[in-house]
Each structure stands twice: as C-alpha cells, then as structure tokens.
Amino acid sequence: MMVGWIVGLLLLSQQNVAPDRITIDEKSGQIIANVERGAYSINYLDVPLIDNERLHQLTDEVTKKIFRKPKNAIINDAGAIVKEVAGVQLNQRAFVESFYKNFYGEGPMTFEVPQKPIYPKVDSELLASIRVNPIGYYVTYFNSNNQHRYNNIKLATQAINNYVVQPNETFSFNRVVGERTRGRGYKSAKVIVRGEFSEGIGGGICQISSTLYNAADRAGLTIVERFSHSRSVPYVPSGRDATVNWGGPDFSFKNNYNQPILIRAHAMPGRVYVSLLSSDSINHKPRHVPSASESLPEEINAGTDVGQPVP
C-alpha cells in the first residue's frame, strides 16, 4: 500500500484532474473492463490513491478473461502434422503499470491488455523428429457389438493419442484421461467390482490402460504403478492387465530414456492399437511381451477393482 501512495503522489503532482473512466481492451478491440476511478480510489489527505486490494481483484479477473490455453502440435487421422497454437496469459506487472499510468492520466483513457505468449510443450518440429522410430506397440481385440463399451474405448483412446512423454516424465493414465463421467461422454458398460460383473460408467477403459501398459513394457519403459483386476480379463494374456479407476488404482510409467516418446493410439471396430515412437537417436532396450489373442470374445468385461499390486 505504501508503494501505491508514493507512486500516486508522484503522478498526481504532474496532473490536474483525474478523469472518471478507464477502458481496458484487447488487441482485437474487445472491451475487457470499464473501470470507474472512484471505485478504485482511497483518499489520503484529500489525495486520491489506488486501492491496491481492488486492483489485485481486477488483475485476477482480467487474467481469467484473457487466458487461452496453448494447443500442442498433433498428428491427424491422415498422418499430417497439425501446427501448434500458442496460448495467451496476462503480463501482470505491465498491466499494473499501465493501470497506474492511466489512473492518473488526463481525459478518458483506454489501454490494451498487455499479454505474454504461452508456448506449447509440443511443436511441429519436435513432433516431426519423434514420429520416425517405433519402439513399442501392442494390439488388443474386442467385440464391438457393445456400443456403450466401444464408445468408452474410443474416448479413452483419443485422450492418450498424440500425448508426448518427456524424458524423466511420469505418465499417469488417470491424470491424462481424466474423470470418466456422463458429462464427458462416457456411458455405462460392464465392469468388475469385487470380483463380480456389474454395470459402471466408463466400462471398457481398462482395455486401453492394459494395451498401453503392454506397449510401454515392450518399449522397455519403467513401469511405476500397475494393478491387476480382481479376476482375469480376456483381452490380454493372464497377468498382463492394468486396471484403473478414477480416485483409485492408476497405471503409470516413467520415460527413462533421454528422448521424448510419442503415444499413438487408435480404436476401430474390434481392435485397439497403441504404438510408442521416438527419434532415431533413442537407445531403447525392448522387452519381450506376449501378444494378445486375436480371437474376438463374445463379450469383454473391463474392470475397475483392484486385485494384487504388481511392482
């Protein structure tokens, strides 16, 4: 507050009258806020000074209004790279400085919101360099007649597709896929609860986590967390499953290599395909992992309950 008083006195000594309104807009011309000076003033010895608490509130509001999340470069269904898009955030220090300048200025004032770019983690150049060398893959099969289950499988597959795991980064299935709810498009399908089949939102998700687990293990990545179902599932060999549940068991692995790893995942009627790719310079050490049976089961029952933890 003392800083506000000092700056206010210095600026006020150079001005005659403080106008009533400040308009804050974006570069596009869209008005973000209209500020009445009286609402942001406090009087000290009959000198109008800025109420820093109100200014902090305004700064928070403008920060939320202009924030735009960056978009990573991705590979589309046609195999082409879609260029990244930078995000936008408020330059808070420059915003406060502009506010002070305009607050003590003469006549109606308008100033643009000072912005800073947010650069995406994955740009086109990086993506082009790590899509060239397959280091692990896995395919599982399912009966696509269960449309609810197929819907859930596609949503989870889309969530992990194009994700880039940086060196020393730990990939968490639950964190990346997010909560499986009706509001996010997930539907009720068979799950395993305490060893018995029942209906649950997001049934089928464990086939994706299990497919990813086997691809990651085959690529020689460090498996951090994996749990088996409370009973066997037909889409992977015995002991090769990875159950997940929001707020419960997770599947995670660490990129122990010195190069980023790209996850490519696709769901089509009857099969799920996950491949891991990286650059030509990666020195990976693959492991032997048994393949899944290609025979289509009559029905696949994905699970969400925990059996025994697996190191």
Side-chain angles (χ1 to χ4, degrees), residues 153-179:
I153 284 175
K154 288 190 291 186
L155 288 176
T157 301
Q158 292 166 3
I160 66 172
N161 186 40
N162 281 306
Y163 192 91
V164 174
V165 188
Q166 300 292 344
N168 295 315
E169 178 186 353
T170 296
F171 173 97
S172 161
F173 187 90
N174 280 339
R175 175 174 53 82
V176 172
V177 175
E179 187 173 4

Side-chain angles (χ1 to χ4, degrees), residues 35-302:
V35 174
E36 297 290 344
R37 282 178 171 78
Y40 289 83
S41 299
I42 56 175
N43 289 321
Y44 179 72
L45 300 177
D46 295 327
V47 176
L49 300 176
I50 292 177
D51 184 337
N52 281 326
E53 184 175 347
R54 291 294 307 277
L55 178 55
H56 290 159
Q57 293 175 357
L58 175 65
T59 303
D60 290 341
E61 292 171 6
V62 174
T63 296
K64 294 175 183 178
K65 281 186 177 181
I66 75 162
F67 176 79
R68 290 194 291 273
K69 186 178 179 180
K71 296 181 180 179
N72 288 330
I74 62 169
I75 300 173
N76 63 19
D77 292 341
I81 293 179
V82 179
K83 187 176 176 60
E84 71 280 0
V85 178
V88 173
Q89 63 183 335
L90 178 68
N91 185 333
Q92 294 191 356
R93 181 174 180 177
F95 177 79
V96 171
E97 291 175 352
S98 295
F99 188 91
Y100 267 94
K101 179 179 179 181
N102 282 268
F103 186 88
Y104 293 105
E106 291 184 345
M109 292 289 180
T110 299
F111 72 93
E112 289 183 352
V113 176
Q115 302 175 356
K116 294 192 297 185
I118 308 173
Y119 297 105
K121 293 181 179 180
V122 181
D123 59 24
S124 303
E125 184 177 357
L126 173 63
L127 203 55
S129 69
I130 62 173
R131 65 177 298 184
V132 295
N133 184 13
I135 64 171
Y137 72 94
Y138 206 76
V139 184
T140 61
Y141 303 86
F142 65 95
N143 191 320
S144 58
N145 290 331
N146 186 331
Q147 291 299 311
H148 283 194
R149 191 170 186 281
Y150 185 24
N151 170 81
N152 297 340
I153 284 175
K154 288 190 291 186
L155 288 176
T157 301
Q158 292 166 3
I160 66 172
N161 186 40
N162 281 306
Y163 192 91
V164 174
V165 188
Q166 300 292 344
N168 295 315
E169 178 186 353
T170 296
F171 173 97
S172 161
F173 187 90
N174 280 339
R175 175 174 53 82
V176 172
V177 175
E179 187 173 4
R180 280 73 82 180
T181 64
R182 291 187 187 276
R184 299 185 65 223
Y186 288 93
K187 299 180 179 180
S188 180
K190 283 189 176 180
V191 297
I192 299 174
V193 179
R194 292 183 294 276
E196 300 297 331
F197 294 129
S198 69
E199 293 289 319
I201 301 299
I205 302 303
C206 292
Q207 180 154 358
I208 308 305
S209 56
S210 296
T211 308
L212 177 61
Y213 157 60
N214 282 280
D217 198 23
R218 184 172 277 176
L221 295 164
T222 300
I223 307 303
V224 176
E225 183 179 7
R226 178 177 75 90
F227 297 91
S228 289
H229 290 83
S230 52
R231 61 186 295 177
S232 62
V233 293
Y235 46 78
V236 291
S238 179
R240 300 299 308 177
D241 57 316
T243 185
V244 292
N245 187 28
W246 184 258
D250 193 10
F251 166 64
S252 61
F253 67 87
K254 182 178 181 180
N255 179 5
N256 48 285
Y257 298 125
N258 64 350
Q259 296 294 318
I261 292 171
L262 169 66
I263 299 174
R264 294 287 285 157
H266 302 278
M268 57 197 75
R271 72 174 60 187
V272 175
Y273 182 85
V274 174
S275 61
L276 304 179
L277 304 98
S278 190
S279 70
D280 281 330
S281 59
I282 192 171
N283 184 23
H284 75 291
K285 297 179 181 179
R287 302 187 187 101
H288 172 71
V289 171
S291 298
S293 172
E294 295 186 17
S295 60
L296 293 180
E298 181 179 350
E299 179 62 66
I300 288 182
N301 304 280

